[in-house]
Amino acid sequence: MPTFAIRLVRFTGRLLLALAAVTTLVVAFLALIALTDGAGSGLAAWLTTLGAGTVLALWRGRHRTWPARLVPFLPVVVAAVLTATVCISTVPTARQYPPVLPFVATQHWSLATGSRLAVYHYPPANPGTRHPLPLVYLNGGPVRGISVLDHRFLQLLARHGYDVYSYEQAGGGRSDLLPMGQYTISRSVRDLAAFVDRLNKGKVDILGFSSGGTVLTRALADPNVAARLHRAIIAEPGPMDGPTAHLTGHKGRKSARGLAPAMTGPRSTHVPRYAVAFGLMRLGLLTPDTGLIGQAEGDNAFTAADLGSDTASAYCARDAHRIPAENTAQNFSFSPVASLRVEQTVKDSPSIAPLLRQSRTPAMLMIAECSSQVRQWETTVLANDPAIQRTQYMPGVGHHMWNGLDDNNDRAAAVITAFLQDKPAPLPNYPTRDEIATFLRDHK
């Protein structure tokens, strides 16, 4: 074999060994991140990996001449540089709240629960059509700021004469953070009750969307909280308890997921630190209270583009190439860690069905044609809440039913206002409890 070929084979072999050594050190680092729960912003894992790599390099170079002894250190240096990026913050570690919205005042209310929430008020635009009870909106998320798209819908409801209030859950949007252990679905329900008490206007009507629908469903199952509610609208709810969260089944008609153009803009998951942190948390290998990144840092880092195809899944396939901008970059706020924590407390909670069956608060369920929610999450509420007086199956829309496209906002408002005023529904009462099995079979 020619000398050049021999050298090439040897070089290739050494390069492969070096790459294998780098990979081994990086994998060991990630394993240590998980084992130490990211202690010290990942420095505990980094120093341990660097120390082990250095000892191994010294051992491998013990019989070599002096210049050659440095060669085994090259993979250690490369691995140290790569893994150091996981330990270095690239965004502020103190919470950076979104700026004030130009079209509505941001108030901050301190509740009896200890939460300090950002509150928004849209008084009725036409006093002549003012409705007697306040309408409170619970947005989705969980632990997410209210989008500009939702604010526009709340303005529409105010133009229909409703005195509209909304607040961002603790940790979301402009609301203050909580210690990580306090993010629970039970806390969300207690905050709702405390908010109504702080409002001090007697009973209120409630519109709960997505995870806000979950909070509302659980509030209806709690007699002490339900006593504060006049009428309840549960729109596209998430799972109401652990048994429901573990249900599997089909969803609505085809959404725009996988069809819509990819979201543009910066992604925190393109930064090694946050890709590792959010990835390991999603896999359950880091706790929400991890020492790798703090709650505030994670909130500051997460962007709308990080939601990826989740946004597209809230729209029908036919709308894939005209999905509206739901938010502005300045207003977007989502706490991925706190959200996972709340979702986990739902999954860990026992069944609320026996309590929900005793509900007496008049309620309405709204279901989207192209829903990205598991259908059984919605129909389980219908099956167990005897006070649901009507169900409105909304054709032509996805999970985000009021989305600014065509007349979707007006149609959603018509359904909501008809129920709140106890007027005939603009759509058939469908599905009823007796039609659940047929609905699940026919609307896939």
Side-chain angles (χ1 to χ4, degrees):
M1 183 180 291
T3 303
F4 174 76
I6 293 174
R7 289 177 178 174
L8 181 60
V9 170
R10 288 176 178 171
F11 174 78
T12 303
R14 289 169 181 165
L15 181 61
L16 291 174
L17 286 173
L19 289 174
V22 171
T23 301
T24 299
L25 288 170
V26 170
V27 170
F29 169 76
L30 294 176
L32 286 168
I33 286 285
L35 289 172
T36 62
D37 199 25
S41 198
L43 285 174
W46 187 79
L47 290 172
T48 302
T49 303
L50 181 61
T54 300
V55 170
L56 181 61
L58 288 169
W59 182 81
R60 289 185 60 200
R62 67 191 186 284
H63 297 309
R64 302 184 185 187
T65 58
W66 172 244
R69 288 184 182 181
L70 298 177
V71 174
F73 285 91
L74 182 59
V76 179
V77 173
V78 172
V81 171
L82 290 174
T83 54
T85 60
V86 177
C87 305
I88 300 172
S89 173
T90 60
V91 299
T93 55
R95 182 70 175 107
Q96 304 293 298
Y97 292 96
V100 173
L101 290 166
F103 49 81
V104 64
T106 303
Q107 306 174 51
H108 284 91
W109 290 9
S110 295
L111 304 184
T113 57
S115 298
R116 186 170 182 269
L117 307 181
V119 178
Y120 309 95
H121 179 209
Y122 291 103
N126 183 357
T129 60
R130 181 174 185 140
H131 298 282
L133 298 178
L135 173 61
V136 176
Y137 175 62
L138 300 176
N139 69 305
V143 199
R144 182 173 178 174
I146 300 173
S147 70
V148 170
L149 203 59
D150 279 5
H151 276 291
R152 290 177 186 149
F153 185 64
L154 300 182
Q155 289 173 314
L156 174 61
L157 294 176
R159 288 197 294 273
H160 279 274
Y162 290 93
D163 194 17
V164 182
Y165 289 84
S166 187
Y167 64 87
E168 288 164 324
Q169 294 178 44
R174 297 163 184 81
S175 294
D176 287 6
L177 307 182
L178 294 175
M180 188 56 64
Q182 293 186 26
Y183 288 107
T184 66
I185 190 63
S186 298
R187 174 61 172 264
S188 299
V189 174
R190 292 197 303 273
D191 278 351
L192 170 59
F195 176 83
V196 176
D197 290 345
R198 174 69 169 76
L199 187 60
N200 195 29
K201 292 193 175 185
K203 286 191 174 185
V204 301
D205 294 324
I206 302 278
L207 168 60
F209 167 65
S210 193
S211 63
T214 298
V215 175
L216 178 51
T217 302
R218 295 182 70 95
L220 294 172
D222 184 332
N224 292 327
V225 183
R228 298 166 168 87
L229 312 182
H230 176 251
R231 284 182 171 250
I233 301 170
I234 307 166
E236 282 285 289
M240 67 183 193
D241 54 25
T244 309
H246 291 94
L247 289 175
T248 57
H250 47 262
K251 302 181 181 181
R253 301 200 190 280
K254 188 170 179 60
S255 76
R257 191 183 191 102
L259 301 175
M263 291 189 70
T264 58
R267 294 174 183 249
S268 69
T269 47
H270 288 172
V271 179
R273 177 173 176 82
Y274 307 112
V276 169
F278 295 145
L280 292 181
M281 277 189 278
R282 175 66 69 177
L283 294 172
L285 298 176
L286 285 180
T287 67
D289 230 354
T290 176
L292 182 57
I293 61 169
Q295 177 189 171
E297 182 186 348
D299 293 2
N300 294 338
F302 202 85
T303 69
D306 285 319
L307 293 174
S309 58
D310 283 356
T311 298
S313 70
Y315 294 82
C316 290
R318 66 178 72 93
D319 297 324
H321 295 281
R322 60 169 193 156
I323 293 175
E326 294 191 340
N327 224 334
T328 63
Q330 295 74 25
N331 187 60
F332 177 82
S333 172
F334 182 63
S335 178
V337 182
S339 181
L340 285 173
R341 164 77 181 163
V342 173
E343 288 177 351
Q344 190 60 51
T345 63
V346 174
K347 294 176 183 177
D348 292 341
S349 68
S351 173
I352 65 167
L355 294 172
L356 188 59
R357 293 188 192 113
Q358 300 176 42
S359 175
R360 297 295 179 267
T361 304
M364 178 177 73
L365 177 66
M366 296 176 69
I367 301 177
E369 178 185 8
C370 310
S371 177
S372 56
Q373 306 287 73
V374 174
R375 288 295 195 196
Q376 284 83 346
W377 294 352
E378 301 159 335
T379 57
T380 297
V381 178
L382 176 60
N384 288 285
D385 186 350
I388 291 180
Q389 298 179 346
R390 64 178 75 167
T391 303
Q392 299 285 268
Y393 177 74
M394 306 291 292
V397 293
H399 180 58
H400 205 157
M401 293 181 284
W402 39 86
N403 52 39
L405 297 176
D406 304 327
D407 63 345
N408 293 340
N409 282 19
D410 289 330
R411 291 196 295 128
V415 165
I416 290 167
T417 57
F419 174 71
L420 293 179
Q421 297 174 39
D422 200 20
K423 293 181 178 180
L427 296 172
N429 180 25
Y430 175 77
T432 64
R433 290 178 191 82
D434 294 338
E435 295 170 320
I436 289 176
T438 305
F439 174 78
L440 292 175
R441 183 190 67 214
D442 293 346
H443 293 272
K444 300 180 181 179

